[in-house]
Amino acid sequence: MTEPLLAQVLRTVDGKDDRLNEIVTSLITHLHAFVDEVRPTEEEWLAGLDFLVETGQEWCGEHRNEFILLSDMLGLTTAVDDVNHHGPANMTPSSVEGPFHSPAPTRELGAWISFGPERDRGVPTVVHGRVLDCDGTPLPGAVIDLWQANDTGLYDSQDESQESGNLRALLTTDENGGYWFRTIRPSSYPVPTDGTAGRLLKAIGRHPMRPAHLHVRVEAPGHRPLTTHVFLDEDPYLDSDAAFAVKPELVCHPVHREVADDRWELDTPYEEIEFDIRLAPTNWTEENAK
Ligand code: BEZ
Ligand code: FE
């Protein structure tokens, strides 16, 4: 009797790298199950392959990787993040990095990080908090790398009208683990829709919007680096983030302050965002936590 097709294919997976064999075996098994379930026509299968070819040939290069965007849009980046970033219960959860991180200029605590016309258009906002370990001990000297889109939803790297380093900063926490900076209130914005990911979103009836957010990456000696987001509550897209990156612990409440405040060197009404970041120790494992 002829061996079933899937078994024939799986029998050929016999490389030297056991983990790679495991990954490829599982991938083949799931793809065969997909074909069994969906029963694509030959035209549909070739259209799928053409979509992948176009994604690589037309939309991937030095400044863009549409496969990462597709992974983000299908929730796969978040799924991989979830299986890899376990930690103590009160650790700040990680969240996807997204495609717009680039090296940031070092700035003093309290710095304004907005230098373009968005500063006059946007709501002045102070963001402050502390970097702590999971027992609440402050971490002085932690480095916070932050990046943000302007009020039209563009990062400096996407927009020639912004000076390089606009809405980016590398800050170092003070002796109390504290940090603060001044910026404009983040806005919700769409992910790039001109490529294959945008076409797919449209075809399946999804919007491309991300809720307003800041990106942060934090490093402190003896602790695991953390890449995450800070989201603002009451954003209309919090429940339908195109990148599936929202976690409840990352949503903060901006407080509107009508009266100028010398403490933050702001002379107009402003919004205040407080966000503490708790890092896991480098040596934390699921086993030693039990
Ligand atoms: C962003 O935050 O900028 C982003 C994240 C994932 C996909 C696209 C954009
Ligand atoms: Fe972003």
Side-chain angles (χ1 to χ4, degrees):
M1 201 178 79
T2 322
E3 196 180 8
L5 174 65
L6 176 59
Q8 286 181 48
V9 179
L10 292 183
R11 203 161 33 75
T12 65
V13 180
D14 190 23
K16 290 196 172 60
D17 182 336
D18 288 343
R19 176 65 174 159
L20 185 66
N21 290 340
E22 182 188 350
I23 291 170
V24 174
T25 297
S26 176
L27 185 63
I28 293 170
T29 306
H30 282 86
L31 287 172
H32 275 253
F34 167 80
V35 172
D36 275 349
E37 183 187 319
V38 174
R39 308 189 73 77
T41 63
E42 276 148 350
E43 288 75 19
E44 285 168 340
W45 187 251
L46 287 176
L49 297 183
D50 282 348
F51 178 86
L52 296 178
V53 169
E54 181 187 338
T55 299
Q57 287 185 341
E58 307 285 333
W59 301 103
C60 291
E62 200 188 337
H63 298 293
R64 180 146 176 184
N65 185 331
E66 194 80 353
F67 281 111
I68 296 185
L69 186 57
L70 279 171
S71 165
D72 295 341
M73 299 300 97
L74 299 180
L76 292 167
T77 312
T78 293
V80 173
D81 188 54
D82 285 348
V83 295
N84 283 291
H85 290 274
H86 294 175
N90 52 358
M91 176 186 87
T92 301
S94 58
S95 177
V96 306
E97 177 170 310
F100 299 118
H101 177 262
S102 60
T106 301
R107 302 192 194 280
E108 297 294 317
L109 288 178
W112 268 102
I113 67 164
S114 155
F115 300 96
E118 74 280 345
R119 181 144 149 201
D120 297 325
R121 299 189 298 247
V123 179
T125 299
V126 61
V127 184
H128 66 99
R130 288 188 304 163
V131 179
L132 308 159
D133 73 11
C134 287
D135 300 324
T137 307
L139 297 175
V143 175
I144 306 179
D145 184 347
L146 52 104
W147 64 107
Q148 179 191 341
N150 73 3
D151 59 330
T152 67
L154 293 174
Y155 289 85
D156 61 348
S157 49
Q158 297 173 285
D159 178 8
E160 282 180 359
S161 76
Q162 293 184 51
E163 66 179 73
S164 169
N166 192 39
L167 294 163
R168 296 184 188 272
L170 277 183
L171 304 176
T172 302
T173 56
D174 64 19
E175 64 281 9
N176 302 312
Y179 75 90
W180 70 289
F181 61 96
R182 289 167 291 170
T183 185
I184 53 155
R185 189 188 214 275
S187 308
S188 43
Y189 65 85
V191 301
T193 54
D194 51 346
T196 44
R199 213 158 75 219
L200 181 65
L201 289 184
K202 192 157 182 226
I204 63 174
R206 265 178 58 187
H207 72 69
M209 296 301 290
R210 300 219 55 218
H213 61 272
L214 295 158
H215 295 266
V216 290
R217 178 176 165 83
V218 189
E219 290 189 11
H223 293 79
R224 289 211 309 243
L226 173 77
T227 301
T228 195
H229 281 60
V230 183
F231 294 97
L232 312 192
D233 68 358
E234 296 178 9
D235 187 288
Y237 299 107
L238 267 183
D239 293 331
S240 61
D241 178 9
F244 301 96
V246 180
K247 297 179 179 170
E249 302 89 332
L250 304 178
V251 181
C252 64
H253 177 64
V255 180
H256 181 80
R257 306 279 186 205
E258 203 42 56
V259 181
D261 191 327
D262 287 347
R263 189 172 42 144
W264 307 121
E265 298 167 34
L266 288 165
D267 51 14
T268 57
Y270 63 97
E271 295 206 347
E272 179 179 346
I273 294 176
E274 183 169 4
F275 188 73
D276 288 343
I277 298 161
R278 289 172 196 270
L279 301 182
T282 312
N283 59 7
W284 187 90
T285 62
E286 215 111 27
E287 282 69 41
N288 71 23
K290 283 173 192 156

